[in-house]
Amino acid sequence: MLSEKMQAALNEQVKIEAQSSQVYLAMASWAEIQPGIDNITQFFYNHSDEERMHMLKLIHFINERGGFAKVPALEQPILTFPSISHAFDALLKHEIFVSESINKLVDISLQDKDYATHNFLQWYVAEQIEEESLARTMKDKLEMIGDEKSGLYLFDKDIIELSTPKDPMI
Ligand code: OFO
């Protein structure tokens, strides 16, 4: 059984994951109307879907542990960006914020001696390490090649490989 505090914090995370999905959906929609960046656009759409999956995972967990997952109201995300680099800066900042929020949940699970929730949260901890590192790599790469036309063309090609999870067995 979840404590009241744990349940409230997990529900807050439901909102954060749902909001993340909206934030990246808005980036995707904006990217879609920029010329020649189809793969970047697809990356944002995929990322938005992943965040929705993160949210659903939390909803199922809360309900399975005897709580009640509350579907939240969401805020209007930022709709347009001065450049692709700005969108990727915002993505990295957002992922850092999400990681901090996951860490707070881990703290509460330890205070509660709620080892089931602690164990469940480890998936999110690992996921955040990956997502932050991917966002950093993309930001660094964009800084290196620049977000003028030719740089963006290369980045749009590279993003497919960058965002494909590496098989640790290879
Ligand atoms: Fe990218 O944040 Fe979910 O967990």
Side-chain angles (χ1 to χ4, degrees):
M1 194 73 186
L2 297 168
S3 72
E4 283 300 315
K5 188 176 177 190
M6 190 78 255
Q7 186 177 173
L10 288 169
N11 264 315
E12 188 51 38
Q13 192 64 31
V14 167
K15 178 168 183 185
I16 290 173
E17 302 293 346
Q19 189 66 37
S20 302
S21 182
Q22 289 291 92
V23 165
Y24 301 143
L25 186 60
M27 287 179 183
S29 177
W30 171 77
E32 198 163 30
I33 60 162
Q34 312 305 312
I37 54 164
D38 294 355
N39 296 323
I40 294 172
T41 299
Q42 195 53 47
F43 166 80
F44 286 130
Y45 275 121
N46 292 347
H47 213 53
S48 172
D49 286 348
E50 273 183 36
E51 299 300 347
R52 180 175 156 78
M53 188 271 282
H54 297 171
M55 174 199 69
L56 284 173
K57 216 172 151 72
L58 276 159
I59 288 181
H60 294 316
F61 180 78
I62 295 167
N63 288 336
E64 278 162 13
R65 298 279 324 280
F68 176 43
K70 294 175 190 141
V71 175
L74 300 177
E75 289 137 38
Q76 171 87 71
I78 293 173
L79 298 178
T80 59
F81 301 86
S83 69
I84 300 291
S85 292
H86 283 84
F88 277 94
D89 278 353
L91 184 137
L92 175 59
K93 273 192 199 122
H94 192 80
E95 288 302 332
I96 292 170
F97 159 74
V98 173
S99 298
E100 283 164 1
S101 170
I102 297 286
N103 289 343
K104 282 181 201 150
L105 289 177
V106 172
D107 275 349
I108 298 171
S109 72
L110 287 174
Q111 283 160 23
D112 273 11
K113 296 190 172 31
D114 180 348
Y115 300 116
T117 300
H118 183 266
N119 187 46
F120 168 77
L121 289 171
Q122 295 314 300
W123 184 88
Y124 287 84
V125 172
E127 183 72 10
Q128 281 314 116
I129 293 171
E130 239 178 62
E131 291 199 347
E132 260 192 55
S133 143
L134 179 64
R136 272 202 186 88
T137 306
M138 288 178 174
K139 188 170 136 50
D140 291 349
K141 189 136 195 164
L142 256 180
E143 256 165 34
M144 246 162 52
I145 63 181
D147 63 1
E148 296 306 317
K149 271 189 186 141
S150 55
L152 265 190
Y153 174 75
L154 288 175
F155 184 71
D156 191 65
K157 287 178 103 175
D158 281 3
I159 201 166
I160 303 174
E161 202 197 329
L162 283 174
S163 54
T164 309
K166 304 276 176 297
D167 186 338
M169 301 305 282
I170 296 173

